[in-house]
Amino acid sequence: MDRRSFLKKAGVGAGATAAAATLAAPAIAQSSTDMVIVSTWPRDFPGLGISAQRLAARIGELTEGRIAVQYFAAGERVGAFDSFDEVASGNAQGYIGADYYWKGKHPAWAYFTAVPFGLTYAEFDAWIKYGGGQELWDEVADQFGLKNFNAGNTGVQMGGWFNKEIETADDLKGLKMRIPGLGGDVMAKLGASPVSLPGGQIYENLISGAVDATEWVGPYNDYFMKFYEAAKYYYYPGFHEPGSALALGMNKSWFTSLSKTDQMIIEAACNEENARQMAETNAENGRYLDKLINEHGVELRKFSDEVYDAFGEASEEVFAETREHSDLTNRVHESFAKSRSEIGRWMLLADTGYTQQRNRVLGITV
C-alpha cells in the first residue's frame, strides 16, 4: 500500500473521510443492542488497527448479533485522543486503544498499558489475572464510569528510531522524541523533549524534522510506517514499553446493562484477541526486522549499559513522583512492583534462562 495514500485514507484526526463500517449481524438475531466502538488507530493500520477491527467483528459474531457493533477508526467519528471522552460520556459504548494515553486524567492509567522497566506480556497477563491487577484497574476505571479489559499486546518494544547515534545519556539532551506515557516523563528527566502524537501523524513529523526520534512498536508495525526513510538508527531494547497492553474500554453503565452471558462473551473476545495479537506480533517481527536491515539499510544499535542505567535512574524518579498523586496510584504501583519482583524472578529462571541457553547452543544471535 502506498504510504501517503494509506495515511490520507486512515489518518488520525484528519477528518471523517472513511465511512464507518457496520459489522453485519447474523440473520437469526431477533433484537440487538447497539455498540459503537471508536479506536485510537487508523483503519486497516497494520497490526494495531487490524487487531481492533478483528475484535469488533468478533464481538458481533460471538453474540450472534445480539450486540450490533459499529466500528469507527481514528478520525472517522472522533480524533484518536478524543475516544476516551466519547465513551465516558456515553456517546459511544467502547474504545480500543492504549490506556497510558489517559495518564493526564489519572497517572495510574499508565500502568495498564506499560511503564518503564515494567512487565513483559507474560508477566503483565499474570498480574492482571492473578495478581490483583484487574481489580485495581477496575478501581481506576470506575472513577470515569468505565469498565476495561485487556484486548491485545505488542510485546517488548524497540527502543526507537533516531537520526543520530545514542552513545551516552548526554546524547539524549535536547532531543525531540515522540514517546508517550511515563516513558516520555523519563526522557524529559534526561533532558529530551517528549512529544505525544497519534500514530498516523508520526511519519510526517519525523520526515519534516519536527521530531528527531520516535518510538512506535517493533519491526512488523514499524516497517509499514516507513520510519527508515527519516531515521536509520534502530535501537533496542526499549525500556519504556516491555509488554504494551491494549484495552477495550467500555461505558460501565452500558456494559452492566447487558446480560451476564454477553458480558462474559465480551471478556472472552478480549482474552482471545489479547493472545492472538501477541502471537501475530511475535510471528512477524523477526521477518520484518530482516527486511528493514537487508532491504532498507537500517542500522541496528543496542543501548549501552550507561544509557540503560540512566533510563533506570530516571525511571525511579518518575515512579516516586507518580506515586505521590494519590493512594490509589500508590497501591497500583505497589501491586505492580510486587508482581514484577515475584514473577520476574521466576521468568529469569524459566523463560529467560532457557532461551539464553537454547540460543547459545544453537548459535541464534541478533
Side-chain angles (χ1 to χ4, degrees), residues 290-303:
D290 288 343
K291 291 169 74 70
L292 287 169
I293 294 171
N294 298 326
E295 296 178 13
H296 299 288
V298 170
E299 297 189 27
L300 198 62
R301 293 284 189 270
K302 184 178 182 180
F303 286 126

Side-chain angles (χ1 to χ4, degrees), residues 198-236:
Q201 296 177 16
I202 302 172
Y203 175 82
E204 284 77 6
N205 280 271
L206 194 60
I207 284 287
S208 70
V211 295
D212 306 309
T214 186
E215 61 79 47
W216 184 232
V217 182
Y220 170 46
N221 293 271
D222 294 8
Y223 178 86
F224 292 98
M225 299 290 278
K226 294 193 175 181
F227 294 142
Y228 54 79
E229 293 182 353
K232 70 175 182 177
Y233 299 112
Y234 199 24
Y235 274 84
Y236 77 97

Side-chain angles (χ1 to χ4, degrees), residues 21-42:
T22 301
L23 305 173
I28 60 172
Q30 300 299 310
S31 61
S32 63
T33 298
D34 291 334
M35 183 182 190
V36 171
I37 295 178
V38 291
S39 173
T40 59
W41 320 121

